[in-house]
Amino acid sequence: MEFAFTPEQEALRVEVQQFIAENVTPEIVAELEDTGIRRRGPKTREMYKEIAERGWIGISWPKEYGGQAGSRIDQYIVEEEFARAGITVGGAGSGAPAILAAGTEEQKQEFLPGIIRGEISFALGFTEPQAGADLAGLQCRAVRDGDEYVINGQKMYTTAAHYATHIYLMARTDPDAPRHRGISIFLIPMDTPGITVRPLWTIQNDPPAPLGTTYGDNRTNETFFENVRVPASCLLGEENQGWYVGAMGLNLDRVGASRYLISIQRDEDIVNWVKDNDIEGYAMREDPALRDRLADMWIEGQVCRLMTMRSMSIVETDGNFTYEGSAEKVFAPEHGVRTTETIAQMLGPYGQLLNGSEDAIESGVFAHNLMGAFQSGINHGSVQVMRDQVARRGLGMPRV
Amino acid sequence: MNVLPAEEELMVKNAAREFLDAECPPGLARAMEQDERGYSVELWEQMASLGWFGISLPEAYGGGGLPVTYLGLILEECGRAIAPVPFHSTATAALAVVNNGSDEQKQTILPRVARGDLIMTWAVQEQDPRLRADAVQCRGEVDGDSLVINGIKHFVDNFSAAELVVMAVRTAEPTDESAGITLCIVPTNSAGITETRLTTLAKDSQSKIALENVRIPLSNVIGEISQGWPATSEMLDTGTALLCAQIIGAARKDAEMAIEYAKNRVAFGRPLAGFQSIQHLCADMIVAVDGAQLLTYEALWKLDAGLPYSVEVSQAKAFTNDKCQATVRSSQQIHGGIGFMMEFDLHLWYRRVTAWTMRLGTSFEHRARVARSLLAQPGRVRLGMNIEAVA
């Protein structure tokens, strides 16, 4: 075992930190905080180009698709540093890992370099009104018609659908097959005729959550498909194998830098705040009860970090982390909730003040987190479903 | 960064498990609960012949020279097998000699430990059981070339089996420069020692030791007179990290027994494992032990890497205490009535894990140290950074 990064990796981290210090100007921060422009203004776009030019996106991807055939740990380090500044450089959610694993040569050439350049991004089209945690119950239909598929149905919580270039869509291609064996995945341009996006406003809508809030997005979407015709080349992997292709991407989506930070940023924030601040002479840092809870949360935060490192270590050595990823996706989100609720009881009435309010602490991030932290126990596989997976895949227990 | 055990580490760990599976059935721990000596001499000798006691002692003194992590992995397996041997106390005391002893002390002690010829223990706690210098009231006074000790030590492991005890005594009042503590090596058969056996939840061997004018030569002092608190603290940290390893080994085995039981026990027409409430309980048990194990491995790794590791030890022990206790309690829950019948083996693990969580620092003590160190850290804190412990 080895619990430290290499000197080269530490140097990479410092390099990224310096880049952020030099390039994330107040103007860019203003853009990142502006939910109206989806946290993407012209200056931010320019910066993304520079990030890509430095080779910091898709580090672990093969060179022929614009990556550097580098390590997943290097990629993790870059993603973590940017995520701490509120900047996502992960490379299009579940799309890219699944394309790498299951895509044709043409698809890899079509998508991966574009993702790296920031020209292509994906919305996730998985959940439906009647298929959430039980995703395999999805009903969105794709019917083969010559060289095309015709798609009809509705997707929920397609968060990036109003600005992504493509949707990574899970649809049913064989309604007669057993549920998991009649599903396929499609990569579809969002400007295809017949696709309609409608906003769904989250409880973070008003006032907007400050940057860094766990699930601070004010908007997600529902996306409708009405006789949407796409070429058969949009199919990712084999027809009716989509459940398994999707699982690869989802597994990778449940671990990593942004998942880690979602769960632990408030741990660091509260310690740093308590260290330097008191309220009219009331110094929380001297209260033994609060110190005990602070340490408790800090220790759990370390466990989140180590579980993330365990998943990354397994990925880096090409292992299967189905059980470990699920374990992490149980512990980390629930920790995020515990720490958020603990902080509320530390701050008392100050803990309820939202962004922009008189007397709000740290732009109300702790209050907004109370509306966001629990979302991480729901999104991308609920903690109940994750426990099922730990029990079944990790402990060999039967399907109920 | 690769937090998974390396191939060589796994080889040692797996070999230890195989040996203990064959040679250390639960009946041995059960028998030793009633045994006057309190440990299995035969198992001790077999372990000695495998080189376990010296594995992380320096090669120059007959040891294997491997990092302390290896010792931790073996103790994890000993915990799993609830092996009734005075290994942990011997390792803790011997490492104090490695870290701070004189060359002469190392020469006389370490080769014998490595061979399995010398059982040791340590004594720091007193009536006020907190692991801090100001709780040490047992007096030591220099008299010519002797140190004369008076006082009472509580909660000493394996005292009657041990030949030497590494003991912290007060030789001066605390000042800004020194806590006034001396660490020294006391033969357990010294004149003036009275032992009272304690009856513990684990039914293992702990004693209260009264010392009345116990005289040891000054050459038995580890380091300098009155300058021994850092060495004591280091001994406690090392011992705590190793105890965490032992606890997680036992807790994981205990959880596995519950999982196995759930797969076989039928209720309401199906195995318990077919109920989601049981599945989720088991998932939580394993996730908890995984977390404790990762914290413990990181503490051991930092110790071996020469980095500050005390805060990591406290993190590991606080989490291990709470989560492993919950794990063995959940295992009892899954077993139902049979789990608390004397003839069933499960309680052997439950009682040990529970007792061990109360030794070498409670969750409150360790969390207090984490908070103290964290809040004293200059600048902004970040998870994963190196943090110096504050006493």
Side-chain angles (χ1 to χ4, degrees):
Chain A
M1 47 188 103
E2 163 76 53
F3 284 81
F5 297 101
T6 64
E8 293 76 24
Q9 287 168 335
E10 291 294 355
L12 173 65
R13 188 187 290 283
V14 170
E15 203 189 330
V16 176
Q17 285 169 343
Q18 278 168 351
F19 178 91
I20 291 168
E22 286 162 16
N23 290 277
V24 182
T25 57
E27 290 93 335
I28 286 186
V29 172
E31 288 183 2
L32 290 169
E33 283 175 342
D34 188 345
T35 53
I37 56 167
R38 307 174 310 250
R39 309 186 189 280
R40 287 268 202 298
K43 288 200 170 3
T44 310
R45 273 183 235 282
E46 276 305 305
M47 184 181 64
Y48 267 104
K49 278 190 193 141
E50 280 191 47
I51 294 170
E53 273 164 25
R54 295 200 180 214
W56 284 342
I57 299 177
I59 289 175
S60 67
W61 303 358
K63 287 187 175 163
E64 57 264 43
Y65 311 120
Q68 301 193 42
S71 86
R72 285 285 306 213
I73 307 288
D74 287 7
Q75 188 167 324
Y76 172 87
I77 289 168
V78 171
E79 289 177 10
E80 180 184 340
E81 292 310 316
F82 277 109
R84 282 173 176 275
I87 298 164
T88 310
V89 296
S94 299
I99 292 168
L100 273 167
T104 61
E105 185 55 33
E106 288 74 27
Q107 285 170 329
K108 289 177 188 171
Q109 293 290 357
E110 181 185 351
F111 289 106
L112 299 174
I115 290 170
I116 287 174
R117 287 195 302 271
E119 293 160 8
I120 294 176
S121 61
F122 285 95
L124 285 190
F126 281 21
T127 304
E128 296 182 5
Q130 301 303 325
D134 184 17
L135 186 59
L138 61 86
Q139 293 166 9
C140 182
R141 279 284 277 136
V143 179
R144 182 90 187 215
D145 180 19
D147 286 343
E148 293 182 323
Y149 283 91
V150 183
I151 299 165
N152 280 285
Q154 181 188 354
K155 290 289 172 182
M156 294 285 284
Y157 315 125
T158 49
T159 299
H162 57 303
Y163 57 89
T165 58
H166 290 72
I167 186 161
Y168 177 90
L169 181 79
M170 229 184 217
R172 187 161 299 285
T173 37
D174 184 352
D176 301 322
R179 314 195 309 158
H180 296 83
R181 300 200 188 121
I183 292 171
S184 301
I185 286 188
F186 298 90
L187 307 171
I188 298 173
M190 282 302 293
D191 57 10
T192 310
I195 299 179
T196 317
V197 178
R198 281 193 207 149
L200 289 170
W201 302 103
T202 75
I203 57 173
Q204 299 280 20
N205 185 31
D206 182 30
L211 201 58
T213 301
T214 298
Y215 284 105
D217 280 338
N218 63 328
R219 177 181 173 171
T220 179
N221 300 288
E222 49 189 342
T223 301
F224 299 87
F225 295 79
E226 206 175 338
N227 292 323
V228 175
R229 300 190 81 89
V230 299
S233 60
C234 286
L235 181 69
L236 179 66
E238 286 176 39
E239 191 180 73
N240 297 326
Q241 291 299 305
W243 183 258
Y244 309 99
V245 175
M248 280 186 258
L250 261 185
N251 267 345
L252 288 164
D253 216 36
R254 285 179 185 139
V255 300
S258 61
R259 172 65 50 198
Y260 164 60
L261 288 169
I262 278 171
S263 306
I264 61 87
Q265 273 190 300
R266 299 295 87 77
D267 296 321
E268 296 177 356
D269 290 348
I270 192 65
V271 173
N272 285 318
W273 191 83
V274 164
K275 263 157 57 79
D276 299 335
N277 294 279
D278 50 27
I279 298 175
E280 287 293 306
Y282 163 46
M284 290 182 193
R285 64 185 163 276
E286 287 161 17
D287 184 326
L290 298 199
R291 290 166 73 101
D292 186 66
R293 298 292 283 141
L294 270 186
D296 199 12
M297 292 302 112
W298 184 261
I299 293 166
E300 288 193 1
Q302 300 281 34
V303 173
C304 295
R305 176 179 58 84
L306 291 167
M307 286 192 170
T308 302
M309 289 300 113
R310 177 172 69 167
S311 296
M312 298 314 298
S313 300
I314 295 171
V315 173
E316 182 64 6
T317 49
D318 294 325
N320 180 325
F321 66 109
T322 308
Y323 152 70
E324 289 85 353
S326 301
E328 182 186 334
K329 181 68 172 67
V330 169
F331 190 83
E334 292 190 346
H335 162 68
V337 171
R338 277 193 294 275
T339 207
T340 302
E341 293 176 355
T342 299
I343 292 166
Q345 293 307 314
M346 290 179 176
L347 298 178
Y350 287 95
Q352 56 172 341
L353 301 179
L354 293 170
N355 197 7
S357 167
E358 178 86 5
D359 293 331
I361 290 176
E362 303 284 31
S363 305
V365 71
F366 299 115
H368 281 276
N369 234 63
L370 285 159
M371 295 189 284
F374 68 81
Q375 295 181 33
S376 67
I378 298 167
N379 301 345
H380 297 267
S382 75
V383 291
Q384 283 72 33
V385 172
M386 293 298 105
R387 281 190 173 85
D388 290 347
Q389 294 200 355
V390 169
R392 289 169 203 165
R393 299 194 187 168
L395 310 179
M397 292 182 147
R399 181 168 273 280
V400 176
Chain B
M1 174 70 69
N2 183 346
V3 305
L4 309 172
E7 208 171 311
E8 314 82 72
E9 291 165 335
L10 281 179
M11 269 171 56
V12 168
K13 192 168 191 281
N14 293 339
R17 182 173 302 189
E18 265 174 50
F19 167 77
L20 290 163
D21 277 349
E23 303 297 333
C24 184
L28 197 56
R30 187 185 283 271
M32 288 305 120
E33 291 190 359
Q34 309 297 331
D35 187 88
E36 192 56 34
R37 199 186 283 110
Y39 76 99
S40 163
V41 175
E42 194 190 346
L43 186 63
W44 178 265
E45 285 171 355
Q46 285 175 295
M47 288 177 168
S49 69
L50 292 168
W52 287 6
F53 304 133
I55 191 163
S56 297
L57 300 180
E59 286 174 287
Y61 302 105
L66 289 173
V68 175
T69 298
Y70 282 83
L71 175 60
L73 293 172
I74 290 179
L75 278 164
E76 185 182 341
E77 291 305 316
C78 290
R80 181 182 177 85
I82 48 170
V85 282
F87 189 178
H88 175 268
S89 68
T90 299
T92 300
L95 286 172
V97 174
V98 171
N99 291 330
N100 293 288
S102 67
D103 189 55
E104 189 198 334
Q105 288 163 349
K106 291 178 188 176
Q107 289 289 2
T108 52
I109 289 172
L110 300 180
R112 290 187 58 209
V113 170
R115 287 196 305 270
D117 290 345
L118 176 59
I119 294 172
M120 296 178 76
T121 190
W122 57 277
V124 178
Q125 285 167 301
E126 301 189 5
Q127 192 164 4
D128 170 354
R130 290 174 300 170
L131 294 158
R132 41 193 279 174
D134 59 5
V136 176
Q137 295 300 326
C138 194
R139 297 293 306 191
E141 275 174 61
V142 177
D143 178 26
D145 55 5
S146 301
L147 186 66
V148 181
I149 304 169
N150 281 285
I152 299 175
K153 286 289 172 190
H154 291 242
F155 311 112
V156 183
D157 290 337
N158 308 312
F159 185 83
S160 38
E163 185 181 322
L164 299 175
V165 50
V166 174
M167 188 179 291
V169 298
R170 175 160 298 285
T171 42
E173 290 313 307
T175 63
D176 287 347
E177 284 80 46
S178 146
I181 302 298
T182 297
L183 193 61
C184 57
I185 302 160
V186 181
T188 54
N189 65 357
S190 304
I193 293 185
T194 316
E195 178 195 9
T196 307
R197 288 290 280 266
L198 305 171
T199 307
T200 69
L201 183 62
K203 296 186 183 166
D204 57 358
S205 172
Q206 271 205 335
S207 304
K208 180 169 166 179
I209 310 302
L211 302 103
E212 199 181 342
N213 293 323
V214 172
R215 188 172 286 270
I216 58 165
L218 282 180
S219 58
N220 277 20
V221 169
I222 294 179
E224 301 292 316
I225 287 280
S226 298
Q227 303 300 321
W229 182 250
T232 305
S233 193
E234 188 175 7
M235 174 174 79
L236 294 173
D237 280 342
T238 316
T240 306
L242 295 174
L243 182 60
C244 286
Q246 197 173 289
I247 296 173
I248 57 179
R252 188 180 293 282
K253 170 69 179 174
D254 193 272
E256 286 173 10
M257 289 190 286
I259 291 160
E260 206 45 43
Y261 183 80
K263 288 178 183 173
N264 294 308
R265 168 79 177 180
V266 174
F268 305 103
R270 55 180 147 146
L272 287 182
F275 291 93
Q276 216 172 16
S277 60
I278 300 295
Q279 291 189 351
H280 287 194
L281 195 55
C282 291
D284 285 341
M285 292 159 75
I286 287 296
V287 170
V289 179
D290 279 4
Q293 187 178 38
L294 285 163
L295 288 168
T296 300
Y297 284 180
E298 184 172 51
L300 287 167
W301 183 85
K302 286 199 164 187
L303 181 162
D304 285 324
L307 294 166
Y309 69 99
S310 300
V311 173
E312 281 74 13
V313 167
S314 283
Q315 292 174 168
K317 186 59 164 49
F319 192 87
T320 298
N321 285 353
D322 294 356
K323 299 297 182 182
C324 290
Q325 173 70 80
T327 295
V328 297
R329 179 231 306 141
S330 296
S331 178
Q332 294 292 147
Q333 180 70 27
I334 289 167
H335 278 83
I338 196 70
F340 52 91
M341 292 303 108
M342 201 61 187
E343 65 179 26
F344 201 76
D345 286 333
L346 190 71
H347 64 86
L348 297 170
W349 278 267
Y350 175 84
R351 289 187 290 105
R352 278 165 184 73
V353 168
T354 305
W356 294 343
T357 66
M358 291 174 252
R359 299 179 185 175
L360 279 166
T362 62
S363 305
F364 289 111
E365 285 177 275
H366 283 293
R367 284 200 292 264
R369 181 161 74 161
V370 171
R372 205 158 58 228
S373 310
L374 203 52
L375 293 168
Q377 180 74 15
R380 291 182 67 79
V381 297
R382 178 165 159 156
L383 286 158
M385 75 191 298
N386 289 324
I387 291 177
E388 289 285 349
V390 174

